[in-house]
Amino acid sequence: MFKFLKEVVGGSGTGLKDLPYNIAEPFPSAWGSWTHSRGTSKDDGSPVSVFSLSGSNAQDGHLAAARNGVKRLRTVRHPNILSFLHSAEIETYDAGSPKVTIYIVTEPVMPLSEKIKELGLEGTQRDEYYALGLHQIAKAVSFLNNDCKLVHGNVCLASVVVTPTLDWKLHAFDVLSEFDGSNETSSGQMLQYAWLVGSQYKPMELAKSDWDAIKKSPPWAIDSWGMGCLIYEVFSGLRLGKTEELRITGSIPKSLLPDYQRLLSSLPSRRLNTSKLIENSEYFQNKLVDTIHFMEILSLKDSVERDTFFRKLPNLAEQLPRPIVLKKLLPLLASALEFGSAAASALTALLKMGSWLSAEEFNVKVLPTIVKLFASNDRAIRVGLLQHIDQYGESLSPQVVDEQVYPHVATGFSDTSAFLRELTLKSMLILAPKLSQRTISGTLLKYLSKLQVDEEPAIRTNTTILLGNIGSYLNEGTRKRVLINAFTVRALRDTFPPARGAGIMALCATSSYYDITEVATRILPNVVVLTIDPDSDVRTKAFQAVDQFLQIAKQHYEKTNASDTTGAASVGSSSVPGNASLLGWAMSSLTLKGKPSDHVPVASASSTAITSTSSNGTTGIETPSTAPARVSSSTDLAEHPVPTFPTSTDGWGELENGIQDEHESDRDGWDELEPLEETKPAPALANIQAAQRRPVSQPISQTKQASNLLSKTTPKLNKDEDDDLWGSIAAPAPKTGRPLSLKTAQTDDDDDPWAAIAAPAPTTKAKPLSTSRVRVAKPAAPKLGAQRINRTSSGM
């Protein structure tokens, strides 16, 4: 029977090797006869504390008290009471004599006296931390006395331990017993193991073993006296040697002194209840205690209180003891964010506290929480994460970014909020270098393709800047297919001047990726057009770019002439290397509201950050929609408006197989984009095309050889009318530059290409007609000689 009870109370271990924990070096001090050692779990290596007590035989009084302590610690649970993990009672033989050892395994802690020396706090920060610790022990004692009707019996410095988060916890339950005050007729002592308590810690009634007076006293009388002993030892920094030393109050804070004296009242009935100490003591009303208490009951607070608290927390944290903030407040804050009880504003405080940690500690204590927060559906949390990504982005590993962070961040590319889209775009400057080529080519470039046609001009501009910055992280095939098309087909033809400027700067920053053929045939022709751009900053950048790319061409020319080797496939930039740090964001944030057409362009898209226009739109710069044309590559630039912004979202080409399709034709890429604006043909060509669109009613020859084939009823044209045949009756210019294919008569000579398709001469004097009212004669059946026209001898 005794063996069964021993296994129930002490555990089922049969030897030290069966204990699932490793025991390390002991601490120099512990309560009573116990030895307090560090330890680790054999399963996962997690730290623990191991308390051990040995006795010569099973009937030793210390072992009996230790078994009582194990039982009580196992059953009593409270946040401020030491957490029990495991216990075992092991019997061994030493020189033939039996030896019994009881082991208690708990959460990792260290003696309070050792932790105080380690922290070395002074002044106000020391008093605030002591207030927090005493507040926690007072709550534990109040729980035992008022809620459980238990008496600890020996509250003192040795019975308090400290966790890694700097929480004070009560232990040493060997003397713990039920309060038997309701049964006044019972005889005998109430505290069976009171003999373990040192005489200096015993109140007068306990020192005299006056059990009748103890039973008539309130349940908290003995432990309130012990609370006073703890306060004395904490502030004096000395172990209590004798009871009379409690009268020395020089080290006790003045705000705590009245309560200290009431705790040590000579009359048990007049001693202060620890619950009243918690509620009414002025000493416990400080910033640190209030902050920790608020975090502990955070779930009970409403959203307004939480938001107000977290907005003040970053500044408040600087005033609190730094070790307590990092070891206690930071874990509470991370847990609150992870489980959704904290507001989005708490993220700022978390990152600020995290900045005080070393890189290794930050990766362990803060980074896992941040990674989990990326999966949050709270838009405010996502905004906060993206706004501060520069503070923690470098700490993220490529695998974590590619597998856990980017899939959630990418949802912001298509978010309805323009502000969130912009933040997502800017975050790629830090995340893109950590993404795999599969992710960049498969998804990222598609999102960027859509953002380059976004309704917000700031987003379009910053997309171009981002492409210029991440060009070095694209493989060669993707760069050839993406960069030039993105910068020339879209950016240089954007209606927003800073977007065109950003396209020029991006081309310059990535110049080392283009071969001489691309520079000469695709880049320079598009950039030269912008030297007459309406915006002065765009013109300045265009001239700089022209100089740079002409210098590249000149270097290639000199190299090919001076060297006997074959021409190099590509040359690098001589003035601006392809460095991502060269291009800064064109917009600091999106504050524009309303229709895209209402947005006012900023002054430039230079390499330094440019502040976006405010929502009131008070600036006097003209909107890009009214700017005259200077970006079209057509031959008639002066008559063209600025190209309209593309509405196509088909991307820059199929990028799914971008890694493998490195050697495809130029059409496999952004070349497949629709032109930004249909090219308007020259006036002379428009007249010819208009004539070609008209049905052939009756061919009229302009040559002498074909004049005999004309109908006799057709009047002859005046000289003036013949000179401007298409000017007065030509159909409107087509939207596209492709002429329609018409079936015409077979010709033997091409000397007069207009003879077979010319419109019939008007029957009246030609007058200017509206294009909407032009009438076309029905085609008549051609006469017999009209199908063939002799053009062998031209009279022209």
Side-chain angles (χ1 to χ4, degrees):
M1 183 67 180
F2 173 75
K3 182 178 180 181
F4 170 75
L5 292 176
K6 183 174 69 173
E7 291 179 352
V8 170
V9 175
S12 58
T14 58
L16 184 59
K17 65 179 184 299
D18 296 324
L19 190 69
Y21 299 92
N22 298 313
I23 302 176
E25 68 280 1
F27 290 100
S29 62
W31 182 86
S33 301
W34 288 90
T35 300
H36 181 188
S37 305
R38 297 179 178 88
T40 57
S41 171
K42 291 181 179 179
D43 294 333
D44 56 6
S46 57
V48 295
S49 283
V50 180
F51 295 86
S52 59
L53 186 144
S54 300
S56 57
N57 59 75
Q59 304 303 321
D60 191 332
H62 288 86
L63 291 176
R67 294 188 186 100
N68 177 65
V70 172
K71 181 182 70 173
R72 298 295 188 178
L73 192 62
R74 184 197 295 269
T75 55
V76 178
R77 299 285 183 173
H78 187 270
N80 302 117
I81 292 177
L82 185 62
S83 298
F84 174 90
L85 297 179
H86 183 79
S87 66
E89 185 172 334
I90 300 174
E91 184 176 357
T92 58
Y93 289 90
D94 185 11
S97 59
K99 180 181 178 182
V100 178
T101 305
I102 296 177
Y103 294 95
I104 303 177
V105 183
T106 68
E107 61 181 316
V109 290
M110 69 183 301
L112 175 59
S113 58
E114 302 296 326
K115 179 58 71 173
I116 289 176
K117 294 177 184 177
E118 180 183 294
L119 292 176
L121 297 175
E122 296 180 355
T124 304
Q125 291 193 346
R126 186 200 71 162
D127 291 344
E128 287 183 345
Y129 179 57
Y130 286 175
L132 175 63
L134 291 172
H135 186 267
Q136 293 172 334
I137 297 301
K139 289 194 293 185
V141 172
S142 177
F143 171 74
L144 293 175
N145 298 159
N146 300 300
D147 299 334
C148 302
K149 302 302 179 184
L150 297 172
V151 178
H152 183 277
N154 191 20
V155 178
C156 61
L157 185 67
S159 63
V160 179
V161 289
V162 185
T163 66
T165 57
L166 301 183
D167 290 313
W168 291 15
K169 296 203 172 186
L170 186 65
H171 82 121
F173 283 5
D174 295 19
V175 188
L176 188 72
S177 178
E178 288 84 2
F179 180 74
D180 199 18
S182 60
N183 188 5
E184 297 181 359
T185 59
S186 62
S187 59
Q189 67 182 34
M190 186 176 64
L191 298 176
Q192 182 179 358
Y193 304 105
W195 53 272
L196 290 172
V197 181
S199 59
Q200 71 272 28
Y201 296 112
K202 291 182 179 180
M204 190 62 65
E205 67 275 13
L206 185 58
K208 295 180 179 180
S209 299
D210 189 355
W211 300 111
D212 292 335
I214 292 173
K215 291 177 181 179
K216 293 178 182 179
S217 302
W220 60 82
I222 295 177
D223 289 339
S224 291
W225 179 277
M227 192 72 191
C229 297
L230 173 63
I231 291 174
Y232 172 81
E233 291 184 314
V234 166
F235 285 100
S236 67
L238 302 171
R239 296 274 184 164
L240 183 62
K242 53 185 178 180
T243 306
E244 289 75 13
E245 294 176 357
L246 294 172
R247 299 179 184 274
I248 305 173
T249 61
S251 60
I252 308 299
K254 293 181 179 180
S255 59
L256 185 60
L257 186 58
D259 298 321
Y260 171 76
Q261 292 172 339
R262 292 183 62 190
L263 289 170
L264 297 173
S265 175
S266 58
L267 296 176
S269 60
R270 298 186 62 182
R271 289 177 191 152
L272 182 63
N273 189 344
T274 50
S275 64
K276 300 298 182 183
L277 176 68
I278 297 170
E279 296 172 1
N280 303 325
S281 177
E282 180 185 348
Y283 178 70
F284 293 132
Q285 298 175 4
N286 62 53
K287 296 177 182 178
L288 180 61
V289 174
D290 292 343
T291 301
I292 299 299
H293 179 66
F294 189 97
M295 289 296 303
E296 290 175 342
I297 61 172
L298 185 63
S299 59
L300 303 179
K301 301 294 183 179
D302 58 39
S303 59
V304 176
E305 290 177 310
R306 287 196 296 246
D307 189 64
T308 303
F309 172 78
F310 287 122
R311 290 187 185 278
K312 296 179 179 179
L313 188 56
N315 293 331
L316 182 62
E318 294 182 347
Q319 307 171 23
L320 301 177
R322 186 62 55 86
I324 291 85
V325 169
L326 298 181
K327 295 184 178 181
K328 174 63 178 176
L329 187 56
L330 180 60
L332 285 175
L333 187 59
S335 177
L337 275 168
E338 187 173 340
F339 294 103
S341 57
S345 52
L347 186 62
T348 303
L350 178 74
L351 293 173
K352 183 169 186 177
M353 296 177 191
S355 65
W356 300 334
L357 297 170
S358 64
E360 294 76 13
E361 290 178 316
F362 182 87
N363 293 340
V364 174
K365 295 182 178 180
V366 178
L367 209 56
T369 299
I370 292 176
V371 172
K372 292 178 182 178
L373 288 178
F374 274 104
S376 173
N377 293 324
D378 187 347
R379 181 172 289 178
I381 292 287
R382 293 164 58 194
V383 168
L385 287 170
L386 295 175
Q387 283 179 323
H388 300 95
I389 196 169
D390 57 317
Q391 299 181 28
Y392 61 85
E394 297 299 330
S395 302
L396 296 170
S397 66
Q399 182 178 2
V400 169
V401 171
D402 202 51
E403 298 177 0
Q404 301 181 47
V405 175
Y406 175 78
H408 298 295
V409 173
T411 59
F413 284 120
S414 55
D415 196 275
T416 56
S417 170
F419 182 62
L420 190 55
R421 293 200 304 275
E422 185 197 30
L423 289 177
T424 305
L425 174 69
K426 290 185 176 181
S427 69
M428 289 301 110
L429 188 60
I430 294 176
L431 298 182
K434 300 176 183 290
L435 295 176
S436 65
Q437 285 297 322
R438 182 183 182 89
T439 302
I440 292 176
S441 300
T443 61
L444 177 59
L445 291 179
K446 287 187 175 181
Y447 286 125
L448 297 184
S449 170
K450 293 181 179 180
L451 289 185
Q452 247 198 336
V453 293
D454 194 272
E455 62 181 2
E456 295 290 343
I459 293 179
R460 301 198 302 266
T461 304
N462 285 332
T463 303
T464 300
I465 293 172
L466 176 66
L467 282 168
N469 285 329
I470 67 172
S472 59
Y473 306 112
L474 306 178
N475 61 44
E476 184 179 356
T478 304
R479 280 199 297 261
K480 285 184 176 297
R481 193 167 55 251
V482 168
L483 294 184
I484 292 184
N485 294 303
F487 299 152
T488 59
V489 177
R490 284 186 176 171
L492 297 188
R493 303 181 187 181
D494 200 294
T495 59
F496 193 46
R500 300 197 293 274
I504 297 173
M505 295 298 294
L507 283 170
C508 294
T510 56
S511 60
S512 60
Y513 304 133
Y514 311 129
D515 58 40
I516 189 61
T517 303
E518 292 172 327
V519 169
T521 61
R522 303 186 63 186
I523 296 178
L524 278 173
N526 285 281
V527 174
V528 167
V529 172
L530 298 183
T531 57
I532 56 173
D533 191 89
D535 187 82
S536 61
D537 191 71
V538 175
R539 293 196 300 270
T540 302
K541 290 181 172 60
F543 277 110
Q544 294 173 353
V546 169
D547 291 342
Q548 177 177 333
F549 285 107
L550 284 177
Q551 183 66 24
I552 293 175
K554 183 177 181 182
Q555 290 176 0
H556 176 77
Y557 167 77
E558 293 174 351
K559 183 183 298 184
T560 53
N561 284 356
S563 176
D564 294 334
T565 59
T566 59
S570 63
V571 292
S573 171
S574 60
S575 57
V576 183
N579 193 335
S581 64
L582 290 174
L583 298 180
W585 297 120
M587 303 293 163
S588 60
S589 63
L590 274 176
T591 57
L592 297 175
K593 296 181 180 180
K595 297 180 181 179
S597 60
D598 298 333
H599 296 171
V600 181
V602 295
S604 67
S606 62
S607 59
T608 57
I610 301 176
T611 306
S612 64
T613 55
S614 60
S615 58
N616 55 14
T618 57
T619 180
I621 302 176
E622 266 190 351
T623 58
S625 60
T626 61
R630 289 298 181 272
V631 295
S632 175
S633 59
S634 172
T635 56
D636 193 15
L637 292 172
E639 299 177 7
H640 296 170
V642 175
T644 58
F645 194 73
T647 58
S648 171
T649 56
D650 60 346
W652 299 306
E654 295 299 327
L655 297 173
E656 293 89 341
N657 302 322
I659 300 177
Q660 293 82 5
D661 302 339
E662 296 183 2
H663 303 289
E664 293 185 5
S665 65
D666 290 340
R667 295 294 299 173
D668 183 19
W670 287 338
D671 324 41
E672 299 175 4
L673 292 172
E674 292 296 327
L676 293 178
E677 185 180 0
E678 296 295 346
T679 304
K680 185 177 179 181
L685 181 60
N687 292 338
I688 297 174
Q689 292 174 353
Q692 290 176 333
R693 294 173 62 90
R694 296 174 58 86
V696 179
S697 59
Q698 189 171 1
I700 299 176
S701 175
Q702 305 255 330
T703 61
K704 295 179 180 180
Q705 290 81 357
S707 59
N708 58 346
L709 299 176
L710 297 177
S711 175
K712 296 181 179 180
T713 58
T714 302
K716 295 183 179 180
L717 297 176
N718 295 332
K719 185 178 184 304
D720 294 337
E721 293 172 345
D722 186 66
D723 291 341
D724 190 16
L725 180 61
W726 312 121
S728 59
I729 61 173
K735 294 184 179 180
T736 61
R738 290 194 303 265
L740 295 177
S741 176
L742 298 176
K743 293 183 179 180
T744 59
Q746 297 292 332
T747 61
D748 297 332
D749 200 312
D750 292 334
D751 292 341
D752 188 2
W754 316 124
I757 61 173
T763 56
T764 61
K765 186 174 181 180
K767 294 182 179 180
L769 296 176
S770 172
T771 55
S772 61
R773 300 182 60 184
V774 172
R775 290 192 175 185
V776 179
K778 294 183 180 180
K783 293 185 178 182
L784 184 59
Q787 297 301 318
R788 296 183 58 85
I789 300 176
N790 185 13
R791 298 189 180 184
T792 55
S793 59
S794 176
M796 297 296 291

